[in-house]
PDB file of all heavy atoms in Angstrom:
ATOM      1  N   THR Q 340       5.421  14.128  11.060  1.00 97.00           N
ATOM      2  CA  THR Q 340       4.727  12.909  10.666  1.00 97.00           C
ATOM      3  C   THR Q 340       3.638  12.595  11.681  1.00 97.00           C
ATOM      4  O   THR Q 340       3.836  12.755  12.888  1.00 97.00           O
ATOM      5  CB  THR Q 340       5.710  11.728  10.572  1.00 97.00           C
ATOM      6  OG1 THR Q 340       6.702  12.012   9.592  1.00 97.00           O
ATOM      7  CG2 THR Q 340       4.987  10.446  10.183  1.00 97.00           C
ATOM      8  N   TYR Q 341       2.489  12.155  11.170  1.00 97.00           N
ATOM      9  CA  TYR Q 341       1.354  11.848  12.047  1.00 97.00           C
ATOM     10  C   TYR Q 341       0.653  10.601  11.526  1.00 97.00           C
ATOM     11  O   TYR Q 341       0.491  10.421  10.326  1.00 97.00           O
ATOM     12  CB  TYR Q 341       0.393  13.043  12.048  1.00 97.00           C
ATOM     13  CG  TYR Q 341      -1.054  12.744  12.334  1.00 97.00           C
ATOM     14  CD1 TYR Q 341      -1.499  12.430  13.622  1.00 97.00           C
ATOM     15  CD2 TYR Q 341      -2.007  12.815  11.314  1.00 97.00           C
ATOM     16  CE1 TYR Q 341      -2.842  12.186  13.874  1.00 97.00           C
ATOM     17  CE2 TYR Q 341      -3.354  12.583  11.562  1.00 97.00           C
ATOM     18  CZ  TYR Q 341      -3.763  12.262  12.836  1.00 97.00           C
ATOM     19  OH  TYR Q 341      -5.083  12.031  13.083  1.00 97.00           O
ATOM     20  N   TYR Q 342       0.243   9.750  12.461  1.00 97.00           N
ATOM     21  CA  TYR Q 342      -0.551   8.576  12.110  1.00 97.00           C
ATOM     22  C   TYR Q 342      -1.586   8.365  13.212  1.00 97.00           C
ATOM     23  O   TYR Q 342      -1.279   8.465  14.406  1.00 97.00           O
ATOM     24  CB  TYR Q 342       0.324   7.326  11.980  1.00 97.00           C
ATOM     25  CG  TYR Q 342      -0.492   6.071  11.707  1.00 97.00           C
ATOM     26  CD1 TYR Q 342      -1.014   5.826  10.438  1.00 97.00           C
ATOM     27  CD2 TYR Q 342      -0.753   5.155  12.727  1.00 97.00           C
ATOM     28  CE1 TYR Q 342      -1.780   4.690  10.194  1.00 97.00           C
ATOM     29  CE2 TYR Q 342      -1.515   4.027  12.487  1.00 97.00           C
ATOM     30  CZ  TYR Q 342      -2.030   3.795  11.223  1.00 97.00           C
ATOM     31  OH  TYR Q 342      -2.794   2.687  10.981  1.00 97.00           O
ATOM     32  N   GLN Q 343      -2.826   8.065  12.808  1.00 96.00           N
ATOM     33  CA  GLN Q 343      -3.876   7.778  13.782  1.00 96.00           C
ATOM     34  C   GLN Q 343      -4.760   6.652  13.275  1.00 96.00           C
ATOM     35  O   GLN Q 343      -5.103   6.597  12.095  1.00 96.00           O
ATOM     36  CB  GLN Q 343      -4.738   9.017  14.062  1.00 96.00           C
ATOM     37  CG  GLN Q 343      -5.826   8.766  15.109  1.00 96.00           C
ATOM     38  CD  GLN Q 343      -6.611  10.007  15.489  1.00 96.00           C
ATOM     39  OE1 GLN Q 343      -6.380  11.085  14.966  1.00 96.00           O
ATOM     40  NE2 GLN Q 343      -7.545   9.867  16.409  1.00 96.00           N
ATOM     41  N   HIS Q 344      -5.110   5.778  14.188  1.00 96.00           N
ATOM     42  CA  HIS Q 344      -6.052   4.693  13.903  1.00 96.00           C
ATOM     43  C   HIS Q 344      -7.212   4.818  14.882  1.00 96.00           C
ATOM     44  O   HIS Q 344      -7.016   5.043  16.085  1.00 96.00           O
ATOM     45  CB  HIS Q 344      -5.387   3.331  14.071  1.00 96.00           C
ATOM     46  CG  HIS Q 344      -6.358   2.182  13.992  1.00 96.00           C
ATOM     47  ND1 HIS Q 344      -6.866   1.733  12.809  1.00 96.00           N
ATOM     48  CD2 HIS Q 344      -6.908   1.412  14.969  1.00 96.00           C
ATOM     49  CE1 HIS Q 344      -7.699   0.732  13.037  1.00 96.00           C
ATOM     50  NE2 HIS Q 344      -7.740   0.515  14.343  1.00 96.00           N
ATOM     51  N   LEU Q 345      -8.443   4.688  14.369  1.00 95.00           N
ATOM     52  CA  LEU Q 345      -9.635   4.839  15.200  1.00 95.00           C
ATOM     53  C   LEU Q 345     -10.623   3.725  14.904  1.00 95.00           C
ATOM     54  O   LEU Q 345     -10.887   3.400  13.744  1.00 95.00           O
ATOM     55  CB  LEU Q 345     -10.299   6.196  14.934  1.00 95.00           C
ATOM     56  CG  LEU Q 345     -11.694   6.420  15.544  1.00 95.00           C
ATOM     57  CD1 LEU Q 345     -11.602   6.508  17.067  1.00 95.00           C
ATOM     58  CD2 LEU Q 345     -12.328   7.680  14.966  1.00 95.00           C
ATOM     59  N   GLU Q 346     -11.167   3.152  15.965  1.00 95.00           N
ATOM     60  CA  GLU Q 346     -12.300   2.245  15.864  1.00 95.00           C
ATOM     61  C   GLU Q 346     -13.368   2.720  16.834  1.00 95.00           C
ATOM     62  O   GLU Q 346     -13.060   3.166  17.942  1.00 95.00           O
ATOM     63  CB  GLU Q 346     -11.893   0.805  16.203  1.00 95.00           C
ATOM     64  CG  GLU Q 346     -10.941   0.183  15.196  1.00 95.00           C
ATOM     65  CD  GLU Q 346     -10.592  -1.251  15.536  1.00 95.00           C
ATOM     66  OE1 GLU Q 346     -11.033  -1.721  16.622  1.00 95.00           O
ATOM     67  OE2 GLU Q 346      -9.893  -1.903  14.755  1.00 95.00           O
ATOM     68  N   ARG Q 347     -14.620   2.624  16.392  1.00 94.00           N
ATOM     69  CA  ARG Q 347     -15.697   3.115  17.237  1.00 94.00           C
ATOM     70  C   ARG Q 347     -16.957   2.296  16.987  1.00 94.00           C
ATOM     71  O   ARG Q 347     -17.231   1.907  15.852  1.00 94.00           O
ATOM     72  CB  ARG Q 347     -15.967   4.577  16.925  1.00 94.00           C
ATOM     73  CG  ARG Q 347     -16.966   5.170  17.937  1.00 94.00           C
ATOM     74  CD  ARG Q 347     -17.958   6.019  17.294  1.00 94.00           C
ATOM     75  NE  ARG Q 347     -18.988   6.410  18.242  1.00 94.00           N
ATOM     76  CZ  ARG Q 347     -19.665   7.511  18.130  1.00 94.00           C
ATOM     77  NH1 ARG Q 347     -19.369   8.319  17.151  1.00 94.00           N
ATOM     78  NH2 ARG Q 347     -20.629   7.776  18.962  1.00 94.00           N
ATOM     79  N   GLU Q 348     -17.714   2.046  18.052  1.00 95.00           N
ATOM     80  CA  GLU Q 348     -18.965   1.321  17.890  1.00 95.00           C
ATOM     81  C   GLU Q 348     -20.018   1.903  18.814  1.00 95.00           C
ATOM     82  O   GLU Q 348     -19.846   1.930  20.033  1.00 95.00           O
ATOM     83  CB  GLU Q 348     -18.792  -0.173  18.183  1.00 95.00           C
ATOM     84  CG  GLU Q 348     -20.086  -0.957  18.019  1.00 95.00           C
ATOM     85  CD  GLU Q 348     -19.886  -2.463  18.026  1.00 95.00           C
ATOM     86  OE1 GLU Q 348     -18.723  -2.894  17.950  1.00 95.00           O
ATOM     87  OE2 GLU Q 348     -20.882  -3.192  18.099  1.00 95.00           O
ATOM     88  N   GLU Q 349     -21.089   2.392  18.212  1.00 95.00           N
ATOM     89  CA  GLU Q 349     -22.269   2.778  18.986  1.00 95.00           C
ATOM     90  C   GLU Q 349     -23.496   2.126  18.369  1.00 95.00           C
ATOM     91  O   GLU Q 349     -23.771   2.277  17.179  1.00 95.00           O
ATOM     92  CB  GLU Q 349     -22.490   4.286  19.031  1.00 95.00           C
ATOM     93  CG  GLU Q 349     -23.778   4.612  19.800  1.00 95.00           C
ATOM     94  CD  GLU Q 349     -24.054   6.077  19.989  1.00 95.00           C
ATOM     95  OE1 GLU Q 349     -23.342   6.892  19.388  1.00 95.00           O
ATOM     96  OE2 GLU Q 349     -24.991   6.414  20.738  1.00 95.00           O
ATOM     97  N   VAL Q 350     -24.219   1.416  19.209  1.00 96.00           N
ATOM     98  CA  VAL Q 350     -25.509   0.842  18.839  1.00 96.00           C
ATOM     99  C   VAL Q 350     -26.484   1.304  19.910  1.00 96.00           C
ATOM    100  O   VAL Q 350     -26.414   0.867  21.065  1.00 96.00           O
ATOM    101  CB  VAL Q 350     -25.461  -0.692  18.765  1.00 96.00           C
ATOM    102  CG1 VAL Q 350     -26.842  -1.239  18.401  1.00 96.00           C
ATOM    103  CG2 VAL Q 350     -24.419  -1.152  17.753  1.00 96.00           C
ATOM    104  N   ALA Q 351     -27.388   2.215  19.530  1.00 96.00           N
ATOM    105  CA  ALA Q 351     -28.318   2.811  20.485  1.00 96.00           C
ATOM    106  C   ALA Q 351     -29.716   2.230  20.317  1.00 96.00           C
ATOM    107  O   ALA Q 351     -30.104   1.819  19.222  1.00 96.00           O
ATOM    108  CB  ALA Q 351     -28.347   4.332  20.310  1.00 96.00           C
ATOM    109  N   GLN Q 352     -30.464   2.246  21.390  1.00 97.00           N
ATOM    110  CA  GLN Q 352     -31.803   1.672  21.381  1.00 97.00           C
ATOM    111  C   GLN Q 352     -32.819   2.518  20.610  1.00 97.00           C
ATOM    112  O   GLN Q 352     -33.907   2.055  20.305  1.00 97.00           O
ATOM    113  CB  GLN Q 352     -32.286   1.474  22.823  1.00 97.00           C
ATOM    114  CG  GLN Q 352     -31.437   0.501  23.630  1.00 97.00           C
ATOM    115  CD  GLN Q 352     -31.374  -0.871  22.986  1.00 97.00           C
ATOM    116  OE1 GLN Q 352     -32.396  -1.462  22.673  1.00 97.00           O
ATOM    117  NE2 GLN Q 352     -30.162  -1.369  22.771  1.00 97.00           N
ATOM    118  N   ASN Q 353     -32.450   3.758  20.282  1.00 96.00           N
ATOM    119  CA  ASN Q 353     -33.352   4.610  19.480  1.00 96.00           C
ATOM    120  C   ASN Q 353     -33.087   4.451  17.988  1.00 96.00           C
ATOM    121  O   ASN Q 353     -33.468   5.306  17.195  1.00 96.00           O
ATOM    122  CB  ASN Q 353     -33.227   6.064  19.901  1.00 96.00           C
ATOM    123  CG  ASN Q 353     -31.887   6.672  19.513  1.00 96.00           C
ATOM    124  OD1 ASN Q 353     -30.945   5.949  19.199  1.00 96.00           O
ATOM    125  ND2 ASN Q 353     -31.800   7.982  19.538  1.00 96.00           N
ATOM    126  N   SER Q 354     -32.404   3.375  17.612  1.00 96.00           N
ATOM    127  CA  SER Q 354     -32.109   2.961  16.237  1.00 96.00           C
ATOM    128  C   SER Q 354     -30.907   3.667  15.625  1.00 96.00           C
ATOM    129  O   SER Q 354     -30.567   3.417  14.469  1.00 96.00           O
ATOM    130  CB  SER Q 354     -33.322   3.118  15.299  1.00 96.00           C
ATOM    131  OG  SER Q 354     -33.551   4.463  14.937  1.00 96.00           O
ATOM    132  N   PHE Q 355     -30.235   4.543  16.391  1.00 95.00           N
ATOM    133  CA  PHE Q 355     -29.018   5.178  15.870  1.00 95.00           C
ATOM    134  C   PHE Q 355     -27.859   4.191  15.923  1.00 95.00           C
ATOM    135  O   PHE Q 355     -27.636   3.527  16.938  1.00 95.00           O
ATOM    136  CB  PHE Q 355     -28.671   6.425  16.685  1.00 95.00           C
ATOM    137  CG  PHE Q 355     -27.392   7.098  16.242  1.00 95.00           C
ATOM    138  CD1 PHE Q 355     -27.403   8.015  15.213  1.00 95.00           C
ATOM    139  CD2 PHE Q 355     -26.180   6.796  16.849  1.00 95.00           C
ATOM    140  CE1 PHE Q 355     -26.232   8.639  14.803  1.00 95.00           C
ATOM    141  CE2 PHE Q 355     -25.009   7.406  16.447  1.00 95.00           C
ATOM    142  CZ  PHE Q 355     -25.033   8.331  15.422  1.00 95.00           C
ATOM    143  N   VAL Q 356     -27.106   4.125  14.820  1.00 95.00           N
ATOM    144  CA  VAL Q 356     -25.932   3.256  14.751  1.00 95.00           C
ATOM    145  C   VAL Q 356     -24.790   4.021  14.081  1.00 95.00           C
ATOM    146  O   VAL Q 356     -24.993   4.667  13.053  1.00 95.00           O
ATOM    147  CB  VAL Q 356     -26.218   1.966  13.941  1.00 95.00           C
ATOM    148  CG1 VAL Q 356     -24.954   1.104  13.835  1.00 95.00           C
ATOM    149  CG2 VAL Q 356     -27.351   1.176  14.572  1.00 95.00           C
ATOM    150  N   GLU Q 357     -23.613   3.970  14.679  1.00 94.00           N
ATOM    151  CA  GLU Q 357     -22.400   4.446  14.001  1.00 94.00           C
ATOM    152  C   GLU Q 357     -21.265   3.508  14.389  1.00 94.00           C
ATOM    153  O   GLU Q 357     -20.866   3.436  15.553  1.00 94.00           O
ATOM    154  CB  GLU Q 357     -22.054   5.881  14.378  1.00 94.00           C
ATOM    155  CG  GLU Q 357     -20.822   6.386  13.611  1.00 94.00           C
ATOM    156  CD  GLU Q 357     -20.600   7.879  13.753  1.00 94.00           C
ATOM    157  OE1 GLU Q 357     -21.422   8.645  13.203  1.00 94.00           O
ATOM    158  OE2 GLU Q 357     -19.636   8.277  14.417  1.00 94.00           O
ATOM    159  N   ILE Q 358     -20.785   2.776  13.405  1.00 95.00           N
ATOM    160  CA  ILE Q 358     -19.710   1.811  13.617  1.00 95.00           C
ATOM    161  C   ILE Q 358     -18.579   2.137  12.646  1.00 95.00           C
ATOM    162  O   ILE Q 358     -18.780   2.137  11.434  1.00 95.00           O
ATOM    163  CB  ILE Q 358     -20.196   0.361  13.406  1.00 95.00           C
ATOM    164  CG1 ILE Q 358     -21.267   0.017  14.448  1.00 95.00           C
ATOM    165  CG2 ILE Q 358     -19.035  -0.616  13.481  1.00 95.00           C
ATOM    166  CD1 ILE Q 358     -21.903  -1.341  14.240  1.00 95.00           C
ATOM    167  N   ILE Q 359     -17.415   2.449  13.201  1.00 94.00           N
ATOM    168  CA  ILE Q 359     -16.228   2.666  12.384  1.00 94.00           C
ATOM    169  C   ILE Q 359     -15.343   1.436  12.554  1.00 94.00           C
ATOM    170  O   ILE Q 359     -14.724   1.248  13.603  1.00 94.00           O
ATOM    171  CB  ILE Q 359     -15.489   3.947  12.798  1.00 94.00           C
ATOM    172  CG1 ILE Q 359     -16.409   5.168  12.651  1.00 94.00           C
ATOM    173  CG2 ILE Q 359     -14.225   4.137  11.960  1.00 94.00           C
ATOM    174  CD1 ILE Q 359     -15.801   6.461  13.164  1.00 94.00           C
ATOM    175  N   ASP Q 360     -15.331   0.598  11.526  1.00 94.00           N
ATOM    176  CA  ASP Q 360     -14.545  -0.626  11.599  1.00 94.00           C
ATOM    177  C   ASP Q 360     -13.049  -0.346  11.511  1.00 94.00           C
ATOM    178  O   ASP Q 360     -12.231  -1.178  11.891  1.00 94.00           O
ATOM    179  CB  ASP Q 360     -14.958  -1.579  10.471  1.00 94.00           C
ATOM    180  CG  ASP Q 360     -15.954  -2.624  10.962  1.00 94.00           C
ATOM    181  OD1 ASP Q 360     -16.300  -2.563  12.156  1.00 94.00           O
ATOM    182  OD2 ASP Q 360     -16.383  -3.467  10.180  1.00 94.00           O
ATOM    183  N   GLY Q 361     -12.715   0.809  11.000  1.00 92.00           N
ATOM    184  CA  GLY Q 361     -11.323   1.225  10.940  1.00 92.00           C
ATOM    185  C   GLY Q 361     -11.191   2.523  10.186  1.00 92.00           C
ATOM    186  O   GLY Q 361     -11.672   2.643   9.056  1.00 92.00           O
ATOM    187  N   ALA Q 362     -10.592   3.513  10.827  1.00 94.00           N
ATOM    188  CA  ALA Q 362     -10.258   4.774  10.161  1.00 94.00           C
ATOM    189  C   ALA Q 362      -8.764   4.985  10.329  1.00 94.00           C
ATOM    190  O   ALA Q 362      -8.249   4.974  11.452  1.00 94.00           O
ATOM    191  CB  ALA Q 362     -11.040   5.931  10.763  1.00 94.00           C
ATOM    192  N   TYR Q 363      -8.073   5.147   9.213  1.00 96.00           N
ATOM    193  CA  TYR Q 363      -6.622   5.276   9.214  1.00 96.00           C
ATOM    194  C   TYR Q 363      -6.258   6.616   8.579  1.00 96.00           C
ATOM    195  O   TYR Q 363      -6.681   6.910   7.458  1.00 96.00           O
ATOM    196  CB  TYR Q 363      -5.965   4.154   8.421  1.00 96.00           C
ATOM    197  CG  TYR Q 363      -6.410   2.761   8.803  1.00 96.00           C
ATOM    198  CD1 TYR Q 363      -7.578   2.209   8.267  1.00 96.00           C
ATOM    199  CD2 TYR Q 363      -5.676   2.001   9.704  1.00 96.00           C
ATOM    200  CE1 TYR Q 363      -7.995   0.938   8.617  1.00 96.00           C
ATOM    201  CE2 TYR Q 363      -6.094   0.728  10.057  1.00 96.00           C
ATOM    202  CZ  TYR Q 363      -7.254   0.198   9.511  1.00 96.00           C
ATOM    203  OH  TYR Q 363      -7.664  -1.067   9.862  1.00 96.00           O
ATOM    204  N   THR Q 364      -5.489   7.407   9.296  1.00 96.00           N
ATOM    205  CA  THR Q 364      -5.048   8.693   8.764  1.00 96.00           C
ATOM    206  C   THR Q 364      -3.548   8.802   8.943  1.00 96.00           C
ATOM    207  O   THR Q 364      -3.021   8.554  10.040  1.00 96.00           O
ATOM    208  CB  THR Q 364      -5.734   9.866   9.485  1.00 96.00           C
ATOM    209  OG1 THR Q 364      -7.146   9.710   9.394  1.00 96.00           O
ATOM    210  CG2 THR Q 364      -5.347  11.185   8.854  1.00 96.00           C
ATOM    211  N   ALA Q 365      -2.864   9.173   7.875  1.00 97.00           N
ATOM    212  CA  ALA Q 365      -1.418   9.376   7.918  1.00 97.00           C
ATOM    213  C   ALA Q 365      -1.081  10.665   7.190  1.00 97.00           C
ATOM    214  O   ALA Q 365      -1.700  10.987   6.173  1.00 97.00           O
ATOM    215  CB  ALA Q 365      -0.693   8.192   7.272  1.00 97.00           C
ATOM    216  N   GLN Q 366      -0.133  11.398   7.727  1.00 97.00           N
ATOM    217  CA  GLN Q 366       0.250  12.672   7.109  1.00 97.00           C
ATOM    218  C   GLN Q 366       1.735  12.909   7.313  1.00 97.00           C
ATOM    219  O   GLN Q 366       2.300  12.577   8.362  1.00 97.00           O
ATOM    220  CB  GLN Q 366      -0.549  13.833   7.733  1.00 97.00           C
ATOM    221  CG  GLN Q 366      -0.270  15.185   7.082  1.00 97.00           C
ATOM    222  CD  GLN Q 366      -1.205  16.277   7.588  1.00 97.00           C
ATOM    223  OE1 GLN Q 366      -2.173  15.999   8.298  1.00 97.00           O
ATOM    224  NE2 GLN Q 366      -0.938  17.519   7.223  1.00 97.00           N
ATOM    225  N   ASN Q 367       2.346  13.488   6.303  1.00 98.00           N
ATOM    226  CA  ASN Q 367       3.753  13.882   6.394  1.00 98.00           C
ATOM    227  C   ASN Q 367       3.927  15.252   5.739  1.00 98.00           C
ATOM    228  O   ASN Q 367       3.536  15.435   4.585  1.00 98.00           O
ATOM    229  CB  ASN Q 367       4.662  12.851   5.726  1.00 98.00           C
ATOM    230  CG  ASN Q 367       6.134  13.168   5.942  1.00 98.00           C
ATOM    231  OD1 ASN Q 367       6.758  13.797   5.114  1.00 98.00           O
ATOM    232  ND2 ASN Q 367       6.669  12.722   7.057  1.00 98.00           N
ATOM    233  N   ARG Q 368       4.454  16.199   6.489  1.00 97.00           N
ATOM    234  CA  ARG Q 368       4.708  17.532   5.950  1.00 97.00           C
ATOM    235  C   ARG Q 368       6.162  17.911   6.161  1.00 97.00           C
ATOM    236  O   ARG Q 368       6.680  17.826   7.279  1.00 97.00           O
ATOM    237  CB  ARG Q 368       3.805  18.575   6.611  1.00 97.00           C
ATOM    238  CG  ARG Q 368       3.993  19.965   5.994  1.00 97.00           C
ATOM    239  CD  ARG Q 368       2.937  20.963   6.427  1.00 97.00           C
ATOM    240  NE  ARG Q 368       3.043  21.370   7.797  1.00 97.00           N
ATOM    241  CZ  ARG Q 368       2.165  21.097   8.755  1.00 97.00           C
ATOM    242  NH1 ARG Q 368       1.086  20.376   8.468  1.00 97.00           N
ATOM    243  NH2 ARG Q 368       2.335  21.511   9.984  1.00 97.00           N
ATOM    244  N   ALA Q 369       6.804  18.327   5.079  1.00 97.00           N
ATOM    245  CA  ALA Q 369       8.188  18.793   5.126  1.00 97.00           C
ATOM    246  C   ALA Q 369       8.197  20.295   4.881  1.00 97.00           C
ATOM    247  O   ALA Q 369       7.575  20.783   3.939  1.00 97.00           O
ATOM    248  CB  ALA Q 369       9.033  18.077   4.081  1.00 97.00           C
ATOM    249  N   GLU Q 370       8.919  21.032   5.718  1.00 97.00           N
ATOM    250  CA  GLU Q 370       9.021  22.480   5.594  1.00 97.00           C
ATOM    251  C   GLU Q 370      10.485  22.884   5.497  1.00 97.00           C
ATOM    252  O   GLU Q 370      11.302  22.489   6.335  1.00 97.00           O
ATOM    253  CB  GLU Q 370       8.376  23.180   6.801  1.00 97.00           C
ATOM    254  CG  GLU Q 370       6.901  22.899   6.976  1.00 97.00           C
ATOM    255  CD  GLU Q 370       6.328  23.556   8.224  1.00 97.00           C
ATOM    256  OE1 GLU Q 370       7.048  24.375   8.850  1.00 97.00           O
ATOM    257  OE2 GLU Q 370       5.172  23.262   8.582  1.00 97.00           O
ATOM    258  N   LEU Q 371      10.794  23.654   4.485  1.00 97.00           N
ATOM    259  CA  LEU Q 371      12.132  24.199   4.290  1.00 97.00           C
ATOM    260  C   LEU Q 371      12.059  25.706   4.448  1.00 97.00           C
ATOM    261  O   LEU Q 371      11.313  26.385   3.730  1.00 97.00           O
ATOM    262  CB  LEU Q 371      12.665  23.842   2.907  1.00 97.00           C
ATOM    263  CG  LEU Q 371      14.087  24.338   2.590  1.00 97.00           C
ATOM    264  CD1 LEU Q 371      15.104  23.575   3.431  1.00 97.00           C
ATOM    265  CD2 LEU Q 371      14.384  24.172   1.106  1.00 97.00           C
ATOM    266  N   SER Q 372      12.819  26.233   5.395  1.00 97.00           N
ATOM    267  CA  SER Q 372      12.817  27.671   5.665  1.00 97.00           C
ATOM    268  C   SER Q 372      14.151  28.258   5.234  1.00 97.00           C
ATOM    269  O   SER Q 372      15.219  27.760   5.617  1.00 97.00           O
ATOM    270  CB  SER Q 372      12.585  27.916   7.163  1.00 97.00           C
ATOM    271  OG  SER Q 372      12.670  29.284   7.463  1.00 97.00           O
ATOM    272  N   TYR Q 373      14.060  29.324   4.425  1.00 97.00           N
ATOM    273  CA  TYR Q 373      15.294  29.960   3.930  1.00 97.00           C
ATOM    274  C   TYR Q 373      15.285  31.438   4.268  1.00 97.00           C
ATOM    275  O   TYR Q 373      14.340  32.167   3.952  1.00 97.00           O
ATOM    276  CB  TYR Q 373      15.427  29.789   2.414  1.00 97.00           C
ATOM    277  CG  TYR Q 373      16.751  30.312   1.883  1.00 97.00           C
ATOM    278  CD1 TYR Q 373      17.917  29.579   2.066  1.00 97.00           C
ATOM    279  CD2 TYR Q 373      16.832  31.540   1.238  1.00 97.00           C
ATOM    280  CE1 TYR Q 373      19.132  30.038   1.604  1.00 97.00           C
ATOM    281  CE2 TYR Q 373      18.039  32.017   0.767  1.00 97.00           C
ATOM    282  CZ  TYR Q 373      19.195  31.267   0.960  1.00 97.00           C
ATOM    283  OH  TYR Q 373      20.401  31.735   0.510  1.00 97.00           O
ATOM    284  N   GLN Q 374      16.352  31.879   4.941  1.00 96.00           N
ATOM    285  CA  GLN Q 374      16.513  33.278   5.328  1.00 96.00           C
ATOM    286  C   GLN Q 374      17.365  33.964   4.271  1.00 96.00           C
ATOM    287  O   GLN Q 374      18.570  33.795   4.207  1.00 96.00           O
ATOM    288  CB  GLN Q 374      17.199  33.354   6.699  1.00 96.00           C
ATOM    289  CG  GLN Q 374      17.232  34.729   7.304  1.00 96.00           C
ATOM    290  CD  GLN Q 374      15.964  35.069   8.070  1.00 96.00           C
ATOM    291  OE1 GLN Q 374      15.332  34.188   8.631  1.00 96.00           O
ATOM    292  NE2 GLN Q 374      15.588  36.331   8.077  1.00 96.00           N
ATOM    293  N   TRP Q 375      16.710  34.733   3.387  1.00 97.00           N
ATOM    294  CA  TRP Q 375      17.430  35.399   2.296  1.00 97.00           C
ATOM    295  C   TRP Q 375      18.389  36.449   2.833  1.00 97.00           C
ATOM    296  O   TRP Q 375      19.507  36.602   2.347  1.00 97.00           O
ATOM    297  CB  TRP Q 375      16.436  36.042   1.330  1.00 97.00           C
ATOM    298  CG  TRP Q 375      15.452  35.068   0.760  1.00 97.00           C
ATOM    299  CD1 TRP Q 375      14.233  34.744   1.262  1.00 97.00           C
ATOM    300  CD2 TRP Q 375      15.624  34.257  -0.413  1.00 97.00           C
ATOM    301  NE1 TRP Q 375      13.606  33.791   0.482  1.00 97.00           N
ATOM    302  CE2 TRP Q 375      14.451  33.477  -0.563  1.00 97.00           C
ATOM    303  CE3 TRP Q 375      16.646  34.123  -1.355  1.00 97.00           C
ATOM    304  CZ2 TRP Q 375      14.275  32.585  -1.612  1.00 97.00           C
ATOM    305  CZ3 TRP Q 375      16.470  33.237  -2.400  1.00 97.00           C
ATOM    306  CH2 TRP Q 375      15.303  32.475  -2.523  1.00 97.00           C
ATOM    307  N   ASN Q 376      17.925  37.194   3.800  1.00 96.00           N
ATOM    308  CA  ASN Q 376      18.731  38.180   4.516  1.00 96.00           C
ATOM    309  C   ASN Q 376      18.035  38.439   5.834  1.00 96.00           C
ATOM    310  O   ASN Q 376      17.107  37.716   6.206  1.00 96.00           O
ATOM    311  CB  ASN Q 376      18.922  39.464   3.688  1.00 96.00           C
ATOM    312  CG  ASN Q 376      17.597  40.031   3.191  1.00 96.00           C
ATOM    313  OD1 ASN Q 376      16.647  40.142   3.955  1.00 96.00           O
ATOM    314  ND2 ASN Q 376      17.540  40.359   1.895  1.00 96.00           N
ATOM    315  N   ASN Q 377      18.432  39.467   6.546  1.00 94.00           N
ATOM    316  CA  ASN Q 377      17.847  39.733   7.851  1.00 94.00           C
ATOM    317  C   ASN Q 377      16.389  40.176   7.775  1.00 94.00           C
ATOM    318  O   ASN Q 377      15.686  40.192   8.787  1.00 94.00           O
ATOM    319  CB  ASN Q 377      18.657  40.804   8.590  1.00 94.00           C
ATOM    320  CG  ASN Q 377      20.018  40.291   9.012  1.00 94.00           C
ATOM    321  OD1 ASN Q 377      20.203  39.087   9.194  1.00 94.00           O
ATOM    322  ND2 ASN Q 377      20.969  41.193   9.171  1.00 94.00           N
ATOM    323  N   GLN Q 378      15.934  40.524   6.562  1.00 96.00           N
ATOM    324  CA  GLN Q 378      14.586  41.054   6.405  1.00 96.00           C
ATOM    325  C   GLN Q 378      13.627  40.123   5.680  1.00 96.00           C
ATOM    326  O   GLN Q 378      12.413  40.307   5.756  1.00 96.00           O
ATOM    327  CB  GLN Q 378      14.611  42.403   5.659  1.00 96.00           C
ATOM    328  CG  GLN Q 378      15.251  43.549   6.417  1.00 96.00           C
ATOM    329  CD  GLN Q 378      16.771  43.484   6.395  1.00 96.00           C
ATOM    330  OE1 GLN Q 378      17.363  43.140   5.370  1.00 96.00           O
ATOM    331  NE2 GLN Q 378      17.401  43.800   7.517  1.00 96.00           N
ATOM    332  N   GLN Q 379      14.139  39.127   4.962  1.00 97.00           N
ATOM    333  CA  GLN Q 379      13.281  38.311   4.100  1.00 97.00           C
ATOM    334  C   GLN Q 379      13.465  36.817   4.397  1.00 97.00           C
ATOM    335  O   GLN Q 379      14.594  36.328   4.456  1.00 97.00           O
ATOM    336  CB  GLN Q 379      13.601  38.573   2.617  1.00 97.00           C
ATOM    337  CG  GLN Q 379      13.565  40.035   2.199  1.00 97.00           C
ATOM    338  CD  GLN Q 379      12.168  40.611   2.243  1.00 97.00           C
ATOM    339  OE1 GLN Q 379      11.186  39.910   1.974  1.00 97.00           O
ATOM    340  NE2 GLN Q 379      12.057  41.901   2.555  1.00 97.00           N
TER     341      GLN Q 379
END
Side-chain angles (χ1 to χ4, degrees):
T340 299
Y341 153 74
Y342 176 76
Q343 182 175 1
H344 171 77
L345 170 69
E346 293 182 355
R347 188 222 172 153
E348 180 168 349
E349 177 176 9
V350 179
Q352 298 302 308
N353 69 344
S354 76
F355 177 86
V356 178
E357 183 169 291
I358 297 174
I359 301 175
D360 262 1
Y363 309 84
T364 304
Q366 184 172 351
N367 186 265
R368 184 169 70 247
E370 299 177 9
L371 181 69
S372 176
Y373 186 76
Q374 189 85 31
W375 303 91
N376 52 47
N377 290 334
Q378 292 78 39
Q379 307 292 326

